[in-house]
Amino acid sequence: MGFWSEYSVFLAQAVTIVLAIIVVVGFIAAVGQKNRREGHIEIKKLNDKFEDTKDQFEHELLSKEELKEKHKALKKEEKEKKKALKKEAKEQTSEQQEARNKRVFVIDFDGDVHASAVKSMREEISAVLTSAEPCDEVVVRLESPGGVVHGYGLAASQLDRIRKKDIPLTVCVDKVAASGGYMMACLANKIIAAPFAIVGSIGVVAQIPNIHKLLKKNDIDVELHTAGEYKRTLTVIGENTDEGREKFKQDLQDTHDLFKSHVSQYRPELAIDKVANGDIWYGTEALNNNLVDQVMTSDEYLMQLADEADVFEVKYEVKKSFQEKLGMAASMGITRSIDKLLTRFLDSRTQIR
């Protein structure tokens, strides 16, 4: 009996290891193929989503008699509206008849340190610009704590393409638009922030570790050769000089001045020297400091627009391969297992005994 018990444990371990290897190999293969696959634009009309949600909610809340009366009233309203539109169309000129509803195009940007989401956003903006006109509007739901200057500089330049076409641009911030995130947000004609959204951080930071003293203590020499006086100012393993530090600080200051100039160009009403100190503000405070134009959530704003305009969500999607789906499923499974173990551990520590 002991043999079969040990064999079962061994077999279970072996199967687990083999499955883990398959998942890892599949994930690596998927990552290698990811950059070679083409994506596509997906468009979803949010008006329909809002209406479906409303209908579903009413269906659960109202009685059969109330639903019947509501449908009857809606049919009557639609009939009268069609009649009015038909009459109006006869009285209108050909130019008036060509007029259409305002269209709102919604794009999401969820930024990391490298502003990786710019890859999808540039495709989405290119697609929107093929159809959008100055009578329309682009809404960007932006969330980012900032990151590298060149990444967010490119992301801001993508939003500037919308401004150059004279299409109204609105940026909605529900959680955070700081540093590079605000570099993007300030290009908008209108910035809307939730009451507790974090906005600002107009500053520049750089942090470089240095292990030269540790290497020197262990008699390890490091040689650094450059062509150009400022090719390398501060290093991780070499000995840094006061001259190099001063040059590095000057580069940071130059970047900060460029950042302030960029913000001032698009939000001239800002007291830039007051807000460009690296500090952050919450929604209402940001409004008082002219960092944003309105305090409201993106959901509220889009639902208001849907009453008068056709609202479309635009996404650039890359179809995931089977290997990627397998890798993501495995990753989610591991995450859930760790969460459960941590929860059980915390529960055991907080029990009343």
Side-chain angles (χ1 to χ4, degrees):
M1 191 69 180
F3 167 78
W4 288 111
S5 178
E6 290 178 5
Y7 179 76
S8 299
V9 172
F10 167 78
L11 186 63
Q13 290 175 338
V15 170
T16 302
I17 292 170
V18 170
L19 287 174
I21 292 171
I22 291 172
V23 169
V24 171
V25 171
F27 184 76
I28 292 171
V31 170
Q33 293 176 0
K34 189 175 181 180
N35 292 330
R36 293 197 291 268
R37 294 199 308 277
E38 291 294 327
H40 63 281
I41 292 290
E42 290 187 358
I43 303 173
K44 184 189 297 180
K45 192 171 182 180
L46 295 183
N47 303 68
D48 297 337
K49 178 185 173 183
F50 296 150
E51 283 298 323
D52 289 344
T53 303
K54 182 182 176 182
D55 290 344
Q56 184 180 1
F57 204 69
E58 287 180 345
H59 185 76
E60 294 296 329
L61 292 177
L62 301 179
S63 64
K64 289 183 179 180
E65 291 76 15
E66 288 173 322
L67 282 172
K68 190 175 180 180
E69 286 297 319
K70 186 172 180 62
H71 289 157
K72 189 177 179 181
L74 281 173
K75 281 184 179 180
K76 185 179 179 181
E77 186 182 335
E78 285 177 9
K79 189 176 180 181
E80 289 175 354
K81 190 182 288 186
K82 284 180 181 179
K83 192 175 180 180
L85 287 172
K86 193 174 180 181
K87 183 180 178 182
E88 189 179 343
K90 287 181 180 179
E91 297 172 354
Q92 286 178 339
T93 63
S94 58
E95 289 182 2
Q96 289 174 324
Q97 287 177 6
E98 289 176 5
R100 58 168 174 77
N101 280 354
K102 173 183 175 179
R103 294 179 299 191
V104 178
F105 301 96
V106 184
I107 295 172
D108 289 314
F109 183 92
D110 190 1
D112 56 16
V113 172
H114 301 286
S116 305
V118 74
K119 295 176 183 177
S120 297
M121 189 179 72
R122 68 199 305 178
E123 299 289 347
E124 292 159 359
I125 289 174
S126 293
V128 167
L129 292 181
T130 61
S131 301
E133 298 175 7
C135 60
D136 298 321
E137 181 179 353
V138 176
V139 176
V140 177
R141 292 183 292 201
L142 190 154
E143 302 296 339
S144 174
V148 295
V149 176
H150 56 278
Y152 279 90
L154 176 60
S157 298
Q158 293 298 324
L159 295 183
D160 194 37
R161 294 169 60 197
I162 300 169
R163 290 289 300 265
K164 286 176 179 176
K165 293 287 186 179
D166 293 323
I167 299 166
L169 172 63
T170 300
V171 165
C172 292
V173 184
D174 286 329
K175 295 179 182 177
V176 58
S179 194
Y182 191 74
M183 180 188 288
M184 293 176 63
C186 70
L187 273 106
N189 301 97
K190 180 168 59 180
I191 303 176
I192 296 174
F196 289 94
I198 296 171
V199 179
S201 189
I202 304 173
V204 184
V205 62
Q207 186 171 268
I208 300 176
N210 183 268
I211 59 172
H212 173 70
K213 291 180 180 178
L214 178 64
L215 297 175
K216 188 176 181 180
K217 184 180 178 181
N218 290 278
D219 297 323
I220 300 172
D221 291 328
V222 176
E223 291 188 8
L224 178 67
H225 302 278
T226 62
E229 184 180 0
Y230 298 120
K231 179 62 180 175
R232 186 71 71 240
T233 53
L234 296 184
T235 72
V236 175
I237 57 178
E239 184 176 7
N240 291 321
T241 65
D242 289 339
E243 184 183 4
R245 292 187 186 94
E246 285 304 314
K247 179 62 173 71
F248 191 80
K249 289 178 182 178
Q250 185 57 51
D251 290 341
L252 289 182
Q253 187 59 53
D254 290 344
T255 305
H256 190 210
D257 291 340
L258 185 63
F259 192 175
K260 290 195 294 183
S261 176
H262 170 81
V263 174
S264 296
Q265 178 184 352
Y266 292 99
R267 294 194 69 86
E269 69 278 9
L270 267 178
I272 193 66
D273 291 329
K274 179 184 176 182
V275 298
N277 56 5
D279 202 356
I280 58 158
W281 290 266
Y282 291 101
T284 306
E285 295 174 323
L287 179 64
N288 294 334
N289 283 286
N290 291 322
L291 287 159
V292 302
D293 303 294
Q294 198 172 351
V295 175
M296 184 188 294
T297 64
S298 63
D299 306 286
E300 186 179 356
Y301 183 64
L302 291 177
M303 290 185 80
Q304 283 183 6
L305 288 175
D307 290 335
E308 306 255 336
D310 295 327
V311 184
F312 301 94
E313 185 180 66
V314 181
K315 283 187 180 293
Y316 180 75
E317 295 283 358
V318 177
K319 188 176 180 181
K320 291 180 176 63
S321 66
F322 173 75
Q323 295 97 326
E324 278 183 293
K325 291 177 181 177
L326 184 64
M328 287 176 67
S331 177
M332 288 174 66
I334 293 169
T335 303
R336 287 197 191 101
S337 298
I338 293 172
D339 286 343
K340 285 180 181 178
L341 286 172
L342 285 172
T343 302
R344 286 177 184 173
F345 174 73
L346 291 171
D347 285 346
S348 66
R349 293 287 297 273
T350 55
Q351 284 177 358
I352 299 172
R353 298 181 183 277

